Amino acid sequence: MSADATTGGAVTAPGTAAEQVGEGRGRPGLASRLAARTTGGVLRIFLLVVALFWLLPTVGLLLSSLRSPTDITASGWWKVFTSPSQLTFTNYHTLLSNSAITDSLWNTVLITVPATLLVVVIGSLGGYAFAWMDFPGRDWWFMGVVALLVVPVQVALVPVAKLFGDLGIFGDITGVVLFHTAFGLPFAIFLLRNFFAEIPRELLEAARLDGAGELRLFLRVVMPLGGPAIASLGIFQFLWVWNDMLVALIFTNSDSQPITVALQQQVRQFGNNIDILAPGAFVSMVIPLAVFFAFQRQFVSGVMAGAVK
């Protein structure tokens, strides 16, 4: 039987089906052409422009902090490009000479660093326990941790303040660190538990067969693999605590207040203390920016790892 008979007399030439599909599709629409063009240099230029606009307030604050109070109140920060003689470090000398600001900056470090380290360490241990250890009520305990994620900070301010008062730590740096640690742990445990749960079970079983206990398994296997997620958590916690003002306003006094509260009090006398506000605000901003850019690679790795898994 011939090929004509088996196909009912219709012979299809090679490539005809593809041509018909191409004709059916027609020309790409306007949205498709625009999307194809923005995947190259145009998109990079757009993102660069967005990044420059994002950094513009930081640059403006830096230049304002290097101008005298008279120049700050008389004109905008962009005037330094036509009058570079306005730039001076006098404001930073005044800032460092202000004991209240320097003490508050040190208090911010004493609050932020322990609160970040405690959340990272305890959150890592909790995340590993919920991911790979069997204990009674594990799933119910984890559901309780998830439920704590939606509890607003404002709900706990009054009862925790009363508790700290009874314990004698109200107004002390210790109370602020404990508050930030307690409210940072639910998110930390939730994030790290989900990340650790994606580690291959065969890898952990092989380590157990080699005689590794739970602590050694956690330190030698889980922690190195979870480095990107732990770095991301550390960056988030550091930024949240460093920029916090609500908790600090309630739980600190004049001896333990961080930089955010100290600058807020200077705002009441804006006309007289603008030479302290501008450099103080820039110092308060540039430190978390430096931390973020220092750990940017680990942060991106953690985000991408979570997206792939």
Side-chain angles (χ1 to χ4, degrees):
M1 184 179 294
S2 65
D4 294 338
T6 57
T7 57
V11 179
T12 304
T16 304
E19 294 175 358
Q20 291 175 355
V21 172
E23 293 176 357
R25 290 178 180 176
R27 296 183 58 189
L30 177 61
S32 300
R33 295 197 300 271
L34 290 177
R37 293 180 180 179
T38 55
T39 56
V42 176
L43 180 60
R44 294 190 180 93
I45 294 175
F46 173 76
L47 293 177
L48 178 61
V49 172
V50 171
L52 291 176
F53 273 105
W54 183 74
L55 290 175
L56 188 62
T58 305
V59 175
L61 183 60
L62 171 61
L63 295 178
S64 296
S65 67
L66 295 173
R67 303 173 72 206
S68 65
T70 304
D71 294 330
I72 293 176
T73 56
S75 60
W77 57 266
W78 51 88
K79 292 295 183 179
V80 300
F81 295 108
T82 57
S83 301
S85 59
Q86 295 181 1
L87 298 177
T88 177
F89 287 96
T90 304
N91 292 343
Y92 285 93
H93 181 269
T94 304
L95 176 71
L96 297 177
S97 301
N98 190 314
S99 59
I101 298 296
T102 53
D103 291 345
S104 65
L105 183 60
W106 179 244
N107 290 336
T108 306
V109 176
L110 293 179
I111 292 172
T112 305
V113 173
T116 302
L117 292 178
L118 286 173
V119 167
V120 169
V121 173
I122 301 175
S124 300
L125 292 171
Y128 172 75
F130 281 112
W132 293 108
M133 297 181 66
D134 293 327
F135 53 90
R138 184 185 67 173
D139 295 336
W140 287 105
W141 281 108
F142 185 70
M143 291 297 294
V145 171
V146 174
L148 290 175
L149 290 173
V150 300
V151 177
V153 176
Q154 293 81 357
V155 173
L157 293 178
V158 175
V160 173
K162 185 177 183 304
L163 175 62
F164 285 174
D166 296 337
L167 296 176
I169 59 175
F170 183 83
D172 191 71
I173 289 178
T174 304
V176 185
V177 172
L178 291 177
F179 190 95
H180 284 299
T181 302
F183 273 86
L185 280 177
F187 175 75
I189 295 175
F190 175 78
L191 175 68
L192 296 181
R193 182 265 178 189
N194 292 336
F195 190 91
F196 292 161
E198 297 296 332
I199 297 176
R201 181 179 294 273
E202 294 78 9
L203 185 61
L204 302 180
E205 294 298 335
R208 288 193 177 97
L209 290 176
D210 291 337
E214 294 296 340
L215 182 59
R216 186 177 180 182
L217 186 65
F218 172 75
L219 295 176
R220 297 293 182 88
V221 179
V222 176
M223 288 293 286
L225 292 176
I230 294 173
S232 300
L233 172 64
I235 292 174
F236 278 127
Q237 180 69 10
F238 185 93
L239 295 179
W240 287 337
V241 178
W242 184 277
N243 295 320
D244 169 73
M245 189 174 68
L246 175 62
V247 176
L249 275 173
I250 297 175
F251 292 96
T252 60
N253 54 28
S254 58
D255 296 329
S256 59
Q257 64 184 12
I259 186 69
T260 52
V261 178
L263 292 176
Q264 186 268 343
Q265 293 181 352
Q266 296 291 332
V267 174
R268 300 174 183 174
Q269 303 174 2
F270 181 77
N272 298 328
N273 296 335
I274 192 172
D275 56 332
I276 295 178
L277 278 173
F282 179 76
V283 170
S284 177
M285 179 190 302
V286 74
I287 292 178
L289 279 178
V291 171
F292 174 79
F293 285 115
F295 295 95
Q296 181 182 14
R297 179 174 299 179
Q298 289 83 356
F299 176 77
V300 174
S301 300
V303 173
M304 293 302 296
V308 172
K309 292 178 180 179

